[in-house]
Amino acid sequence: MKIVACNSNLPLAQAVADELGIPLCKTSIRRFADGEVFVEIQENVRGEDMFVLQSTCTPTNDHLMELLVVLDALRRGSARRVTAVMPYFGYARQDRKSGPRTPISAKLVANLLTEAGANRILTMDLHAMQIQGFFDIPTDNLYAAPLFVKDLTRRHPDPEKLMIVSPDVGGVVRARQLARRLNVDLAIIDKRRERAGVSEVMNVIGDVSGRFCVLVDDIIDSGGSLCNAAEALVKHGAAGVEAYVTHGVLTGNACERVQNSPLAMLTLTDSIPATEELKAATNIRQISTADLMARAIRAVADESSVSTLFD
């Protein structure tokens, strides 16, 4: 077993390698003057079980192309099996046609990864579960929920006043799973815009008065929806609000928006590396997924069950 680290999340790749007790595979990934990606695997990989770790985060297209070229290099180097380990799967939000003559880009990316030489995909908290069906190769979707449960239990030893909140109707399944693990109540925020040009109305389904609310989501991008949800919960009498989100995309002035919001704390995983703005924020933190990723990689390499990691 060998691990190749691409450039999108080197700290996580090194942490995973340390958990497994193996060094990262010697690899040179560089750009030509015109921006073309060039990859050279500087170790023999013939007959090896290879794992390529790359989150397709900003700049998404560069990191995706990097991953594709590495997969091709390993296939041509006669690796026995190549697993693409993608803590964050970019393009996952384009999982269906949103209108006439629009693409299903998540399916396109699935095809590209397969054709480039991936024999297996290992990812975490896909935006839509049906994306697993876009692949014709084995695809394992890990969950950050066990990490969140462990962290919440440590930070809030008394769960009596906790309430898990889904920031929209689409995330109810994810929030319900976390609420069931913690054995706490669930609330839902229903966002409605009656007509164009009218401000969005947020209705809170569930009694959050006097409760400490924990918003749960898979992605935070601009941060607008999450911060608005936090404000709605405070207006409905919540004693406090924080959020647990798997992937911190955090575009534009998202970090500033979170700092100025009622959120006491925003907890992210390190599926996407921390920016300088994130490091400077006083109410944003990251928890490591290295142990989870390492155990999943070990399970795949040993041909043992990955589903035991969901507990």
Side-chain angles (χ1 to χ4, degrees), residues 288-307:
S288 176
T289 59
D291 178 65
L292 177 65
M293 288 290 167
R295 286 189 292 143
I297 288 171
R298 176 63 68 190
V300 171
D302 293 345
E303 304 289 350
S304 59
S305 174
V306 175
S307 61

Side-chain angles (χ1 to χ4, degrees), residues 205-220:
I205 304 172
D207 184 11
V208 299
S209 180
R211 308 292 290 273
F212 192 89
C213 297
V214 180
L215 288 157
V216 180
D217 213 346
D218 64 322
I219 296 174
I220 177 171

Side-chain angles (χ1 to χ4, degrees), residues 94-99 101-106 108:
Q94 299 185 49
D95 60 323
R96 60 189 180 278
K97 291 191 69 171
S98 58
R101 296 168 297 281
T102 56
I104 304 178
S105 301
L108 173 61

Side-chain angles (χ1 to χ4, degrees), residues 157-211:
D158 181 16
E160 288 291 321
K161 291 189 176 181
L162 276 183
M163 177 172 272
I164 302 299
V165 183
S166 173
D168 52 46
V169 176
V172 170
V173 173
R174 184 180 302 106
R176 186 190 295 123
Q177 288 174 346
L178 189 62
R180 187 167 55 242
R181 287 172 182 266
L182 290 165
N183 194 27
V184 299
D185 294 331
L186 173 69
I188 304 165
I189 292 181
D190 177 33
K191 295 183 290 187
R192 297 189 185 186
R193 181 176 280 112
E194 297 300 329
R195 58 183 185 277
V198 178
S199 61
E200 199 171 54
V201 177
M202 291 201 170
N203 301 308
V204 179
I205 304 172
D207 184 11
V208 299
S209 180
R211 308 292 290 273

Side-chain angles (χ1 to χ4, degrees), residues 33-84:
D34 61 353
E36 288 184 11
V37 179
F38 177 76
V39 172
E40 183 181 6
I41 309 298
Q42 297 173 331
E43 294 182 19
N44 178 30
V45 297
R46 184 179 297 274
E48 294 282 357
D49 196 1
M50 302 299 300
F51 294 84
V52 185
L53 198 146
Q54 175 84 321
S55 283
T56 48
C57 50
T58 306
T60 304
N61 296 330
D62 284 356
H63 287 150
L64 176 59
M65 194 65 205
E66 213 174 77
L67 175 58
L68 295 174
V69 175
V70 170
L71 292 173
D72 185 71
L74 292 171
R75 181 180 63 174
R76 296 177 190 279
S78 300
R80 176 170 59 86
R81 180 175 63 181
V82 183
T83 301

